Structures are given as structure tokens and as C-alpha cells.
């Protein structure tokens, strides 16, 4: 039952309005900024959330108290009577019943909200406790000893009504990554069957943050109590796949998840010409390209790549080509330029030789600029496109990758996700993409990059496809307005006062800003389409191992020499492989040959990895030593020996 705590009051200087009201309470009332209250009057019931607080006594001026205490601050303890004091609070209207007519809040008793009041006041009764329930638990509203569950509407979190979630807060104190980890677990557990299957793709851009989602974390009793209250299992994710490109050497994976006990779940990202060509604009700046270069790149993409090209098809080159790798492309460029020299012309099929040389240098430079991710051969490794599984998490580790290669990974993966959802061939119906540091990928100023245009497109059209973005950053004001503006839900952890001074937070009261600047870990402010005002909640720690704890428990191994890396890589595929046997097999062979065979084995993941690896190597020719002849050869006497 609701607890009576105060009464609405309106004065000439501070009247009540249709959107705000004031009420007084006693000193013992458990009311604070963010508390949800209910006003009960004869004609209507009004729900509100406290946004400001004041304290009053009967003093007209501070000078009166100063004189009454004889300028002694300690005299108050010996005063014959205590001055009367009241607390006055201002509350923003959340909801009213009936909804019409919209009138100023009437005088009436004020009660602290109970569980039912929280559900009704936040308009959660339209999607929680109904036949077609779509509520996804986010956290717990706590005030006055109450623990009320707060839900987000899946239709407004994953679409189609609205979509996307944006998280803002100071690094290390706002628990942005922790919230995403918990919310993903909540979505996986509570997403209604009518919404279909769902998977998550997480880009790890900072250290080991997301590299141990399959390992259990430490939870205290309070956290376990919240998990039980929210009906979310306190356990790590059951199905997690990790992906990372190689380092520049080509045989050590560029990730911190390299402990022997964990490497089995890490798969390489290794892209060739076909995978990169569609997104070459990401690695080529506008200073590199112009309309003529764009035309040649489009020609290569549409008329040359993965097609037979040569004299047999009537093309003006001297040799036949089938361009599938960067090596093939280099050979094709050599032939094109040689054909121009042979004909004495400075043009080839309307393209000037200067443009051809320029594009050749830029495209061939992609391999060196994104070495370890982009390769010369055709032994590529990729995400399981078309085979995404329900309630699975796909972590792509690009924390130690060059910024240009990060942009390429982000652009290609998200674009392929969009294409798969549009065609219905991805394997799941909904995909949640988590991207941290949005102020880097979609800044509010700077050049209009390919990645930023793609993020804008997702924020505006993704909800119709089932492609949902969970984005995070320290400074929301530095992210493109259309990206954050299209996020149906927003969460704020502890904030920096400089950020709160920007115009985007002018709608918040000074008291709310002060609370945001001092929030403890685990406390958040939430804005959701059903909530007419921001609400403060608390959520439990995620049930997965923190990155820094994972590094201590599973320390990454040092970079391995070539032979050891290949041997252990094959053991990762097939535990029966013996290291010494692999070393003997590859001894004396060219590294390029061994690496290509190794990467083909990785891509195939055969049951007998060593046999498959051996079959990809060139046959070695056995040599045998020739001994001395079995019989003597007669040599005639030298007729001149006696001369």
C-alpha cells in the first residue's frame, strides 16, 4: 500500500502547472531526487518524479537567525525551542488519470509510489503483465525501501516502433560496458517469441573489455538478489565466438585472448581482395581519389574482379586473367600498363595511364596499411555469414588494430549484417551491434566518412530491418545529432560537469544534474519513449568476468616463433596434433607456402587437421646419396708418361 508522505501546495510565487507540481513533507519523509510519487485527489490521480528539493523555516532573512544566536553558531543547541522546518519538493508529471482534460495538478495528498504505482506511472502497464508482453528488465527502481522492476519495451528497444540504445558517462565510472553485458543477457532471456531470434555482434575496441564473456564473474548477495528479482540467470553467456585479425607477422593473432585454455574459441579474421574491394573507400581518403579514380575502381569491381578478362573475351590486354587476389590484381595492372606501352598510347579504355598507376599504388597499398587483416592470397577467414545462431554473441577484437583497419572491419561487418537482414539470409531475425567510442566513428564534426554515413543509415533505417545499435561514448554532445537523436532509449551513468553544461542537458533540473555528476557505480538515469521523464535505477553487475580479472586469471602468452605458432594453431583446430611432428613437416619449407597451407586448414577446420595441412603442402622430392662405384674403371696407360 502507498505510504502517505506529504501534501500538494501551491502559492502565488510557485503555482502548480499541468507539467509540474510542488508538495511539502516532514523531515522524516524518505523522499529524494528521482523519487516517484502519486497525488490522489477527488477528480484525478497524478504520478510524478521529484526533480528539485528545498528546505524552509519561519525566517524571513538569514540576518534574523544570526542576531537570534548572538553571532554564535553553537547557540542553536541551547535555544529554548527548535525552529519549524519543512521540506518542499518539485515534481515533474509522469502521467495523469484520466488523461483528459489536461489540467493543473490539483491539491491532494502525496504518497510514495509502490510497485503498482511505478508500473502505471511509467506507462509500463501497456507492455508488462499483458497477454503480448514485451517487457525487457533493465534494472530496479529503489526509493523509500521499495524495489520495483523497471522494464524497457522490446518494440521500442529492438524495433519496429523505435530502436537503438545510447549510453553516456565518464570512462571507468559510468559502467557502460557492464550495462550492455547485463542488458544483452536480459534480452536473450526475456525477448518474446513473437520477436524471433536474436544475436549480438560486439566490437571490442578497448583492451580486454569484452574478451571473457564466456567466463563467470564474481557476484555478491545484493547482485544475486537483483538477478533473482529481475528473473535473469546470473551466469555468463553460453554461446560466444571470438574473432581477431593476425598481427603483421601473419601467424600470431592480434588479441589478448591468447591463453592456451581459451584460444580454441578464437577464430581469425583474414580478408582478401574480394572481401575488401567493396569497401576500399574506407581505406582511401578523398585526397587519394577523384572522379576518374572512382570510375576505374568501379570498373575493376564490376568488370574485372572474379571474372575472366583477356584477349579471349575481347579485352585489350595481352594475357588472360582471373583476378581473385591482390597478387592477381597486381599482375592485371602490369598487363594493362604493358599494353599501353606496346600501343604507344597514354590511355587504356578511356582511363589515363596516370590514373591507372595512381589507383594501382593505392589499392596495392591496402595490404600494407591493414597488414594482418588484409592478405594477398585467397585463404580468407570470415564471420559465419548465413549461419548466425539464436542467442549467440560474436565478439570482434580490434583493440590493437590500426585505426584504418578498425574502420574497415566496422564498415564491412555492419554492412554485411544489413545485407543479410534485408535478404533474410543471415540466420537470425534481429542483430544487436554494440559499438563503443561513437564519438570516434560518428563525430558531430569533421569529414563525412563512409563509416559515419553508414551509422547514420543504421540509426534511421535499422529498426525496420532488425539491425539495432547499442552505442556508448563519454561525451554524447560530440556524437552526430542524428545518430543519438534516433536512439529510442538513452542511459546516463556518472557524468562530467563540463558535459552537463552543454545545451543538450538544459532540460534537466540543477538537482538532477548534480545527482548525475555523483552517481555511484551501478546507478543510472534512463530515458525511454514510455517514460515522460528520466528515471533513476540500479542494475546488478554482469555475471561475466571483467577484462582486467580475465587478464590476471588467463594471462596472454608472448608472441610465438613461426614454427611454434603454426604447430599450436593446428592444435587449436585438432587437439591430437603433435607439435614436434608439425615442426618436422615444415622444416626447410618457404614460410609463404606453410602459411597458405595453415590458413586453408584454419578455414576448413577438418577433423584431421594434420592430414589436411600435409595435403596442402607441395610434395617434397626425396634425395639419396650416390656411393662409390662397385668396380674399378680401367684407365689406359699414358703413352707419354716416359717422355
Amino acid at each position: 500500500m502507498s505510504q502517505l508522505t506529504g501534501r500538494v501546495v501551491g502559492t502565488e510565487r510557485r503555482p502548480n502547472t499541468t507539467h509540474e507540481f510542488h508538495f511539502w513533507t516532514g523531515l522524516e519523509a524518505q523522499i529524494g531526487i528521482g523519487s516517484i510519487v502519486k497525488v490522489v485527489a477527488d477528480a484525478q490521480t497524478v504520478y510524478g518524479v521529484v526533480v528539485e528539493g528545498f528546505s524552509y523555516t519561519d525566517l524571513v532573512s538569514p540576518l534574523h537567525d544570526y542576531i537570534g544566536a548572538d553571532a554564535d553558531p553553537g547557540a542553536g543547541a541551547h535555544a529554548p525551542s527548535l525552529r519549524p522546518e519543512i521540506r518542499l519538493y518539485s515534481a515533474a508529471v509522469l502521467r495523469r488519470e484520466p488523461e483528459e482534460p489536461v489540467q493543473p495538478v490539483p491539491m491532494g495528498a502525496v504518497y510514495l509510489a509502490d510497485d503498482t504505482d511505478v508500473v502505471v506511472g511509467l506507462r509500463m502497464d501497456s507492455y508488462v503483465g499483458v497477454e503480448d508482453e514485451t517487457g525487457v528488465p533493465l534494472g530496479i527502481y529503489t526509493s523509500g525501501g521499495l524495489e520495483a522492476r523497471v522494464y524497457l519495451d522490446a518494440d521500442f528497444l529492438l524495433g519496429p516502433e523505435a530502436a537503438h540504445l545510447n549510453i553516456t558517462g565518464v570512462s571507468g565510472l559510468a559502467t557502460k560496458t557492464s550495462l550492455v553485458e547485463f542488458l544483452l543477457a536480459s534480452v536473450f532471456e526475456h525477448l518474446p517469441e513473437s520477436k524471433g531470434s536474436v544475436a549480438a555482434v560486439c566490437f571490442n575496441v578497448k583492451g580486454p573489455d569484452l574478451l571473457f564473456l564466456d567466463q563467470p564473474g564474481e557476484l555478491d548477495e545484493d547482485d544475486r538478489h537483483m538477478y533473482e528479482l529481475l528473473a535473469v540467470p546470473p551466469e555468463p553467456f553460453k554461446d560466444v565466438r571470438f574473432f581477431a585479425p593476425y598481427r603483421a607477422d601473419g601467424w600470431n593473432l592480434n588479441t589478448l585472448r591468447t591463453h592456451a585454455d581459451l584460444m580454441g574459441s578464437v577464430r581469425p579474421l583474414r580478408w582478401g581482395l574480394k572481401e575488401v574491394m567493396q569497401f576500399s573507400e574506407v581505406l582511401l581518403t578523398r585526397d587519394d581519389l577523384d572522379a576518374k579514380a572512382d570510375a576505374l575502381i568501379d570498373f575493376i569491381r564490376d568488370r574485372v574482379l572474379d571474372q575472366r578478362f583477356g584477349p579471349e573475351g575481347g579485352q585489350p590486354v595481352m594475357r588472360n586473367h582471373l583476378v581473385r587476389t591482390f597478387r592477381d590484381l597486381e599482375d592485371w595492372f602490369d598487363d594493362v600498363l604493358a599494353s599501353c606501352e606496346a600501343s604507344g598510347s597514354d590511355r587504356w579504355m578511356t582511363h589515363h595511364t596516370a590514373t591507372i598507376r595512381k589507383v594501382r599504388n593505392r589499392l596495392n597499398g591496402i595490404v600494407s596499411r591493414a597488414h594482418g587483416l588484409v592478405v594477398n592470397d585467397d585463404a580468407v577467414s570470415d564471420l559465419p555469414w548465413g549461419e548466425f545462431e539464436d542467442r549467440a554473441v560474436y565478439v570482434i577484437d580490434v583493440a590493437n588494430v590500426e585505426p584504418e583497419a578498425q574502420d574497415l572491419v566496422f564498415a564491412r561487418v555492419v554492412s554485411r549484417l544489413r545485407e543479410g537482414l534485408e535478404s533474410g539470409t543471415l540466420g537470425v531475425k534481429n542483430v544487436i551491434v554494440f559499438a563503443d567510442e561513437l564519438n570516434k566513428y560518428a563525430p558531430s564534426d569533421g569529414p563525412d566518412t563512409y563509416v559515419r554515413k553508414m551509422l547514420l543509415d543504421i540509426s534511421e533505417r535499422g529498426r525496420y530491418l532488425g539491425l539495432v545499435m547499442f552505442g556508448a561514448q563519454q561525451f554524447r554532445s560530440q556524437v552526430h545529432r542524428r545518430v543519438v537523436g534516433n536512439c529510442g532509449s538513452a542511459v546516463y551513468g556518472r557524468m562530467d560537469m563540463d558535459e552537463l553544461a552543454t545545451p543538450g542537458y538544459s532540460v534537466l533540473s540543477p538537482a538532477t544534474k548534480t545527482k548525475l555528476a555523483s552517481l555511484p557505480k551501478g546507478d543510472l538515469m534512463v530515458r525511454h519513449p514510455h517514460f515522460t521523464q528520466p528515471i533513476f535505477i540500479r542494475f546488478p553487475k554482469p555475471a561475466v568476468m571483467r577484462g582486467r580479472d580475465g587478464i590476471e586469471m588467463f594471462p596472454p602468452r608472448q608472441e610465438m616463433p613461426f614454427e611454434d605458432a603454426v604447430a599450436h594453431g593446428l592444435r587449436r583446430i585438432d587437439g591430437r596434433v603433435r607439435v614436434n611432428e608439425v615442426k618436422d613437416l615444415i622444416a626447410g619449407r618457404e614460410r609463404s607456402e606453410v602459411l597458405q597451407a595453415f590458413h586453408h586448414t584454419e578455414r576448413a577446420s577438418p577433423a584431421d587437421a594434420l592430414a589436411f595441412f600435409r595435403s596442402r603442402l607441395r610434395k617434397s622430392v626425396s634425395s639419396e646419396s650416390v656411393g662409390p662405384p662397385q668396380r674399378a674403371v680401367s684407365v689406359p696407360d699414358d703413352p707419354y708418361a716416359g717422355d
Side-chain angles (χ1 to χ4, degrees), residues 397-409:
D397 186 10
V398 291
N400 299 316
V401 176
E402 293 296 325
E404 292 176 337
Q406 282 189 8
D407 292 346
L408 175 62
V409 171

Side-chain angles (χ1 to χ4, degrees), residues 267-584:
R267 296 288 180 268
L269 273 187
R270 202 169 186 270
W271 295 342
L273 177 64
K274 185 177 180 180
E275 288 75 22
V276 172
M277 196 63 185
Q278 184 179 356
F279 306 95
S280 58
E281 295 90 340
V282 179
L283 295 177
L284 302 176
T285 65
R286 288 295 95 190
D287 294 336
D288 290 331
L289 299 176
D290 51 26
K292 298 177 182 178
D294 282 340
L296 179 57
I297 290 176
D298 290 340
F299 176 85
I300 296 172
R301 185 186 295 127
D302 299 334
R303 303 276 300 278
V304 178
L305 184 61
D306 208 22
Q307 300 180 43
R308 297 197 175 278
F309 192 98
E312 293 180 355
Q315 287 88 6
V317 289
M318 293 184 287
R319 290 178 283 114
N320 292 313
H321 300 269
L322 181 59
V323 178
R324 290 179 174 173
T325 68
F326 278 98
R327 287 194 181 96
D328 297 336
L329 182 64
E330 174 70 8
D331 187 47
W332 180 84
F333 272 119
D334 288 341
D335 196 1
V336 168
L337 292 174
S339 299
C340 291
E341 292 179 2
S343 64
S345 173
D346 60 355
R347 289 189 173 276
W348 180 85
M349 293 183 66
T350 73
H351 301 287
H352 198 280
T353 54
T355 301
I356 296 173
R357 289 190 174 90
K358 177 180 179 179
V359 171
R360 172 189 182 180
N361 293 335
R362 298 302 187 271
L363 291 180
N364 288 333
I366 289 178
V367 178
S368 59
R369 295 169 70 182
H371 201 60
L373 171 67
V374 180
V375 295
N376 276 321
D377 54 56
D378 61 346
V380 300
S381 299
D382 209 346
L383 272 70
W385 304 115
E387 300 176 358
F388 272 52
E389 296 187 8
D390 189 21
R391 266 70 173 178
V393 182
Y394 301 84
V395 179
I396 303 174
D397 186 10
V398 291
N400 299 316
V401 176
E402 293 296 325
E404 292 176 337
Q406 282 189 8
D407 292 346
L408 175 62
V409 171
F410 195 85
R412 182 173 184 271
V413 169
V414 175
S415 295
R416 287 295 305 270
L417 290 173
R418 181 181 58 193
E419 293 169 4
L421 290 170
E422 285 180 336
S423 61
T425 60
L426 189 61
V428 293
K429 187 176 180 181
N430 303 278
V431 176
I432 299 171
V433 175
F434 172 51
D436 202 353
E437 307 296 341
L438 272 187
N439 51 291
K440 170 189 173 183
Y441 295 109
S444 56
D445 52 11
D448 193 15
T449 63
Y450 184 95
V451 176
R452 187 168 78 168
K453 288 188 291 187
M454 179 196 61
L455 288 173
L456 285 170
D457 183 65
I458 293 172
S459 66
E460 294 169 346
R461 296 198 312 122
R463 63 192 177 105
Y464 301 108
L465 305 174
L467 183 58
V468 181
M469 180 173 60
F470 286 5
Q473 69 284 317
Q474 290 191 53
F475 306 109
R476 180 185 173 98
S477 60
Q478 296 181 10
V479 180
H480 198 288
R481 290 185 61 184
R482 284 164 53 195
V483 172
V484 295
N486 280 291
C487 289
S489 303
V491 177
Y492 306 81
R494 182 184 292 191
M495 302 287 292
D496 186 271
M497 289 301 294
D498 290 342
E499 172 70 5
L500 289 170
T502 58
Y505 302 92
S506 60
V507 295
L508 302 177
S509 69
T512 302
K513 293 180 182 179
T514 301
K515 184 170 182 176
L516 270 176
S518 58
L519 279 179
K521 282 187 175 182
D523 283 25
L524 305 166
M525 188 183 78
V526 183
R527 302 179 74 172
H528 188 59
H530 289 283
F531 309 161
T532 56
Q533 296 292 333
I535 301 299
F536 287 95
I537 66 164
R538 184 168 185 80
F539 77 100
K541 289 187 296 187
V544 300
M545 187 175 290
R546 297 182 303 174
R548 58 177 177 270
D549 294 337
I551 290 296
E552 293 178 2
M553 184 170 294
F554 303 100
R557 64 189 181 194
Q558 298 296 323
E559 293 187 22
M560 303 181 71
F562 174 72
E563 293 81 3
D564 292 319
V566 172
H568 284 86
L570 291 174
R571 277 185 60 84
R572 188 172 71 245
I573 303 170
D574 183 355
R576 299 170 299 174
V577 173
R578 290 180 294 178
V579 173
N580 289 336
E581 189 174 1
V582 176
K583 289 185 176 181
D584 292 341

Side-chain angles (χ1 to χ4, degrees), residues 601-635:
T601 307
E602 270 190 323
R603 182 174 61 177
S605 296
D608 189 343
L610 186 60
F612 186 92
F613 176 70
R614 183 183 286 111
S615 70
R616 303 295 299 188
L617 296 172
R618 290 194 295 268
K619 302 296 182 183
S620 58
V621 179
S622 60
S623 60
E624 57 182 46
S625 59
V626 179
Q630 298 298 320
R631 56 184 180 181
V633 178
S634 59
V635 179

